[in-house]
């Protein structure tokens, strides 16, 4: 995604004041106020470029996006204020609701499969071996762009010549038009993106697992606990805060699916993969309805904020069981 | 919870004794093997297909080795075949100049990575180590930026880039992420906050200025997090598709991901040029695989590192 859409979403901080691995944590004194003069001028100089980027490419676009959602705007003539027209239109637009539904279906499958697989991989990496080579291999798909991943799987799942369907046909079953069939297309795209992202997610979870003291497992083993029992009694409870944060950020990322759809199905067949981001893109650049596209972006922002808050509450992501 | 006793072990060092291979353990390895197979098979299949001819692929779609091995796919992807030749081998007539796109990708990713890390580090230093009024408020504002999903700023940013007259330029692609990301600032600030103050004070006593301390002392000390961040930023900007797609219209600013999608869209009516497409895919992915081969250990541990943050 992008710095963005297909890449992992901006990583959220887990704990604010943790040190880097190597440095011992120092007691943080309140900067000696009163004592010396401030560093105002120097600070202004140091922060100027980042501030410029923040104001021009983050804060201003955010405000402008909200403003544009209340206008009719086609890039050629100045934006014209139309009040809530775009939002009314959105509510009456069956394609919008369809694309929201398709997006939710995608997110549901993508997140469900990815979280379970990433957890399995992370636990296997932790309990089976500590091999850095295996960790590296698991990560390789992450190095590919979504475009590459999409095209490769488009080929492997091709109805006529793809190795996937050759195997299916070899087993005597009917060939499946994975990306050309209305029911199969979204699950297929969701799984392609699981393939690309699961290693990254697994490594984040693996990092969380590394923070669990090994002697907990040792002690449990002495008590005769099975791996299965240790997973539910030690791993899951202690990993929960990390899992929650990883979940929030992967959900936000997967709502922004675009690249894979663009190179595999282009929204088809019959709008079956017309995810929200794709519809927004089409409205803006296909039909030059920037106002309407902005309104849908605002809707997406609202949905994402709500999900983040809800998830954060439900999973009590801020708390840790370890400390 | 069992009492967290005595030694503070990192999970890594504890299990040294090799347990007998139990049934469960064997099954776990089988699952692991299956995961690795699914992970790696596509890479091999890209190579196998890229080295096959299109006729050969159709004749023997399951052969594990390249069928009718040829470099034609690569020649087509790199625009080194005549139109006639390309069409004869099942490709599209229109040539794509992959070297050009490769260069564009390198320029954009390097520009974004170098500038973003430098500017973010400077800001992080100001947030972590300098005293100035309003610091905490401004930092909170930056942090809030973490919450804005990228999609949301893309359309307004496009309008802005268009008004700046930077559409279809490499600078236009790089600009929005060139100055900072909230994550980069946050990430590096964490590091600077934890550098012992004595280090700075010693340098001050030696007569270094604060600017000097940043560039000569703190920035070199931060090489590990900086490289971590740089590699992740490079991968992300290299793989980005949506934003470059919006901004670039012609060869002059086309990056590899966009070019690849176009190569895919140009596919001939008669059937997809799988051999050429896989060759192009490989060319597009190779630089990141090379980067990975070079930095593998570092990247892997760095992701674990960002995870704990």
């Amino acid at each position: 995604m992008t710095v963005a859409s297909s890449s992992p979403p901006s990583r959220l901080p887990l704990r604010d004041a943790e040190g880097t691995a190597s440095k011992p944590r120092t007691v943080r004194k309140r900067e000696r106020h009163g004592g010396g003069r401030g560093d105002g001028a120097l600070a202004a100089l140091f922060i100027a470029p980042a501030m410029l980027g923040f104001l021009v490419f983050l804060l201003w676009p955010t405000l402008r996006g909200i403003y544009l959602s209340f206008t009719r705007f086609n890039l050629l003539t100045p934006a014209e204020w139309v009040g809530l027209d775009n939002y009314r239109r959105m509510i009456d637009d069956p394609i919008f609701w369809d694309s929201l539904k398709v997006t939710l279906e995608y997110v549901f499958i993508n997140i469900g499969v990815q979280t379970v697989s990433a957890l399995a991989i992370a636990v296997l990496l932790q309990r089976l071996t500590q091999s850095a080579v295996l960790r590296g291999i698991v990560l390789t798909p992450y190095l590919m762009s979504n475009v590459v991943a999409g095209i490769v799987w488009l080929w492997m799942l091709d109805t006529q010549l793809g190795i996937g369907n050759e195997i299916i046909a070899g087993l005597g079953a009917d060939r499946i038009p994975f990306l050309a069939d209305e029911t199969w297309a979204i699950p297929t795209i969701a799984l392609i993106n699981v393939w690309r992202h699961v290693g990254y997610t697994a490594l984040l979870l693996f990092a969380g697992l590394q923070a669990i003291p090994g002697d907990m497992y040792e002690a449990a083993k002495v008590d005769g606990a099975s791996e299965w029992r240790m997973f539910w009694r030690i791993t899951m409870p202690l990993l929960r805060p990390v899992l929650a944060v990883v979940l929030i950020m992967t959900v936000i990322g997967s709502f922004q699916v675009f690249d894979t759809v663009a190179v595999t199905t282009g929204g088809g067949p019959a709008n079956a993969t017309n995810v929200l981001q794709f519809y927004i893109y089409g409205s803006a650049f296909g039909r030059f309805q920037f106002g309407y596209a902005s309104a849908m972006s605002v809707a997406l922002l609202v949905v994402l904020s709500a999900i983040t808050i809800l998830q954060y509450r439900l999973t009590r992501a801020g708390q840790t069981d370890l400390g | 919870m069992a009492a967290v006793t005595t030694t503070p072990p990192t999970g890594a060092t504890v299990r040294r004794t090799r347990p007998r291979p139990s049934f469960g353990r064997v099954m776990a390895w089988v699952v692991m093997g299956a995961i690795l197979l699914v992970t790696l098979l596509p890479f091999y299949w890209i190579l196998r297909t890229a080295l096959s001819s299109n006729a050969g692929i159709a004749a023997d779609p399951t052969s594990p080795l390249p069928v009718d091995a040829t470099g034609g796919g690569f020649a087509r992807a790199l625009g080194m075949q005549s139109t006639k030749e390309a069409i004869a081998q099942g490709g599209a007539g229109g040539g794509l100049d992959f070297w050009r796109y490769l260069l564009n990708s390198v320029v954009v990713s390097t520009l974004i990575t170098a500038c973003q890390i430098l500017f973010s580090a400077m800001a992080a230093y100001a947030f972590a180590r300098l005293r100035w009024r309003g610091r905490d408020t401004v930092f909170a504002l930056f942090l809030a930026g973490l919450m804005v999903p990228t999609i949301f700023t893309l359309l307004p940013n496009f309008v802005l880039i268009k008004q700046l007259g930077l559409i279809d330029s490499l600078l236009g692609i790089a600009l929005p992420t060139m100055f900072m990301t909230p994550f980069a600032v946050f990430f590096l600030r964490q590091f600077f906050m934890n550098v012992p103050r004595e280090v700075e004070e010693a340098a001050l006593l030696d007569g270094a200025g604060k600017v000097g301390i940043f560039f000569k002392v703190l920035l070199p000390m931060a090489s590990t997090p900086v490289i971590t961040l740089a590699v992740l930023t490079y991968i992300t900007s290299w793989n980005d598709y949506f934003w470059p797609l919006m901004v670039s219209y012609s060869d002059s600013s086309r990056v590899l991901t966009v070019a690849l999608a176009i190569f895919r869209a140009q596919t001939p009516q008669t059937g997809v040029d799988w051999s050429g497409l896989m060759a192009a895919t490989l060319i597009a992915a190779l630089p990141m695989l090379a980067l990975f081969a070079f930095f593998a250990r570092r990247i892997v541990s760095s992701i674990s590192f960002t995870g704990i943050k």
Side-chain angles (χ1 to χ4, degrees):
Chain A
M1 282 170 259
T2 113
V3 170
S5 37
S6 45
S7 53
S10 41
R11 282 140 286 200
L12 295 178
L14 272 197
R15 259 169 280 152
D16 189 31
E18 278 278 288
T20 59
S22 51
K23 300 286 158 206
R25 183 166 166 194
T26 51
V27 182
R28 202 166 118 222
K29 283 167 285 199
R30 191 82 194 141
E31 322 275 323
R32 295 154 301 178
H33 274 308
R37 59 202 161 68
D39 304 309
L42 184 62
L45 194 71
F46 263 58
I47 218 164
M51 197 56 163
L52 179 76
F54 177 78
L55 293 177
V56 176
F57 294 107
L58 196 56
L59 186 64
W60 170 242
T62 302
L63 300 175
R64 197 179 199 186
I66 295 171
Y67 165 74
L68 285 179
S69 74
F70 295 105
T71 67
R72 185 177 302 127
F73 182 43
N74 62 8
L75 268 188
L76 301 174
T77 50
E80 177 197 344
W81 184 267
V82 293
L84 288 171
D85 275 10
N86 288 322
Y87 290 94
R88 270 187 223 111
R89 178 178 157 194
M90 192 166 76
I91 290 168
D92 291 336
D93 180 359
I95 304 180
F96 168 75
W97 292 107
D98 259 5
S99 72
L100 191 61
K101 206 184 84 194
V102 169
T103 310
L104 285 172
E105 190 192 338
Y106 167 85
V107 171
F108 194 73
I109 301 173
N110 179 264
I111 292 300
V113 177
Q114 177 165 304
T115 309
V116 173
S117 332
L119 192 57
I121 294 172
V123 170
L124 283 175
L125 282 176
Q126 184 212 17
R127 303 296 297 152
L128 216 49
T129 165
Q130 292 282 333
S131 161
V133 175
L134 285 192
R135 269 181 277 158
I137 292 177
V138 162
L139 191 65
T140 42
Y142 179 70
L143 306 167
M144 317 292 255
S145 61
N146 283 320
V147 174
V148 167
I151 292 177
V152 170
W153 284 98
L154 189 67
W155 161 227
M156 303 218 335
L157 298 175
D158 184 68
T159 319
Q160 292 313 317
L161 297 173
I163 182 71
N165 264 311
E166 287 296 327
I167 292 172
I168 291 173
L171 295 173
D174 285 340
R175 289 170 184 271
I176 302 170
F178 285 101
L179 287 155
D181 181 275
E182 286 183 38
T183 35
W184 284 97
I186 275 290
T188 305
I189 290 174
L191 294 182
I192 291 173
N193 282 334
V194 168
W195 178 77
R196 163 147 139 78
H197 289 285
V198 72
Y200 189 87
T201 311
L203 279 193
L204 291 180
L205 294 178
F206 178 79
L209 291 178
Q210 292 297 85
I212 299 175
D215 50 6
M216 284 200 177
Y217 292 102
E218 294 298 309
K221 213 174 240 170
V222 170
D223 293 345
S226 64
E227 283 286 341
W228 188 244
R229 197 177 159 80
M230 287 194 275
F231 174 77
W232 288 109
R233 289 299 172 86
I234 300 176
T235 307
M236 279 309 269
L238 291 182
L239 191 63
R240 207 211 59 235
V242 178
L243 193 59
V245 172
V246 169
L247 205 58
I248 290 173
M249 94 196 190
T250 49
V251 166
I252 291 178
S254 79
F255 258 97
Q256 305 187 40
V257 55
F258 175 84
D259 309 359
T260 321
V261 171
V263 296
T264 55
T265 63
N271 278 347
T273 60
N274 189 21
V275 291
L276 201 47
Q277 183 133 294
F278 200 75
Y279 188 43
I280 293 174
Y281 175 79
S283 301
F285 294 93
R287 297 177 286 282
F288 295 102
Q289 300 163 343
F290 274 78
Y292 187 47
S294 298
M296 289 192 285
S297 305
V298 172
L300 183 58
L301 178 68
V302 170
V303 171
L304 286 180
S305 312
I307 289 177
T308 309
I309 294 169
L310 194 71
Q311 255 184 338
Y312 201 83
R313 286 270 164 87
L314 285 179
T315 52
R316 295 162 295 150
Q319 300 164 25
T320 162
D321 292 340
L322 246 189
Chain B
M1 269 321 117
V4 187
T5 45
T6 56
T7 49
T10 62
T13 51
V14 180
R15 273 154 273 111
R16 273 283 164 260
T17 48
R18 227 162 248 279
R20 281 175 292 125
S22 63
F23 176 72
R25 228 177 142 73
V26 171
M27 284 314 290
W29 272 111
V30 169
V31 172
M32 195 73 213
I35 290 168
L36 295 181
L37 186 71
V38 173
T39 304
L40 291 180
L41 183 68
F43 291 92
Y44 178 71
W45 213 244
I46 296 174
L47 186 66
R48 173 264 183 204
T49 308
L51 291 172
S52 303
S53 74
N54 277 315
I57 292 169
D60 189 356
T62 53
S63 159
L65 290 173
V67 194
D68 189 7
T70 163
F74 286 97
R76 250 185 332 282
L78 293 170
M80 285 155 49
Q81 260 182 352
S82 69
T83 307
K84 214 174 122 194
E85 215 178 343
I87 290 173
Q89 293 189 10
L96 286 179
D97 186 358
F98 261 88
W99 296 111
R100 177 70 182 266
Y101 313 133
L102 185 71
L103 184 67
N104 285 346
S105 277
V106 169
V107 170
V108 166
S109 304
T110 309
L111 194 63
I112 290 177
T113 305
C115 294
Q116 187 197 105
I117 305 282
L118 174 67
F119 295 149
S120 297
M122 284 164 57
Y125 174 65
F127 281 127
R129 284 303 212 220
L130 298 177
R131 284 160 288 144
W132 45 287
R133 202 186 310 188
R135 188 180 67 176
D136 295 346
T137 317
V138 176
F139 184 67
L141 202 64
F142 267 52
L143 266 194
L146 271 174
M147 304 299 160
V148 181
T150 333
I151 164 73
F152 192 68
T153 52
L154 285 185
L155 283 187
N157 268 336
F158 172 79
V159 176
L160 184 65
I161 291 290
K162 188 167 171 62
Q163 285 167 346
L164 290 173
L166 290 171
I167 288 295
D168 207 19
S169 72
L170 294 180
L171 189 61
I173 299 178
L175 216 50
T177 42
M178 230 172 79
F179 295 99
M180 59 94 66
T181 64
F183 176 75
V185 175
F186 172 83
F187 181 80
L188 292 172
R189 174 177 170 270
Q190 288 304 315
F191 178 83
F192 289 136
M193 295 225 311
N194 288 290
V195 174
R197 213 160 255 295
E198 291 71 33
V199 172
E200 223 176 320
E201 274 156 10
L204 271 177
L205 284 179
D206 289 346
K210 297 221 164 172
V211 178
I213 290 178
F214 173 69
F215 284 105
K216 297 214 182 89
V217 181
L218 287 177
L219 209 50
M221 278 182 77
S223 66
T224 298
V226 162
I227 291 173
T228 294
L229 202 56
V231 169
L232 288 179
T233 308
Y234 208 88
I235 294 175
T236 305
S237 45
W238 185 276
N239 286 339
D240 195 11
Y241 172 68
F242 199 0
W243 176 250
L245 175 70
M246 285 164 94
V247 175
S248 89
Y249 291 129
S250 72
D251 272 1
S252 63
S253 71
R254 197 159 284 154
V255 295
L256 268 179
T257 44
V258 178
L260 192 59
I262 291 173
F263 193 85
R264 138 105 181 99
Q266 275 186 352
T267 196
Q269 293 297 313
T270 46
V272 183
D273 172 13
W274 289 118
S275 165
L277 196 51
M278 286 303 117
T281 305
L282 197 58
I283 294 167
L286 218 48
M288 287 307 100
L289 290 174
L291 185 77
F292 184 63
F294 195 71
F295 282 112
R297 191 166 277 276
R298 206 154 212 166
I299 298 174
V300 168
S301 58
S302 72
I303 288 173
S304 316
F305 180 75
T306 52
I308 312 175
K309 294 273 79 200

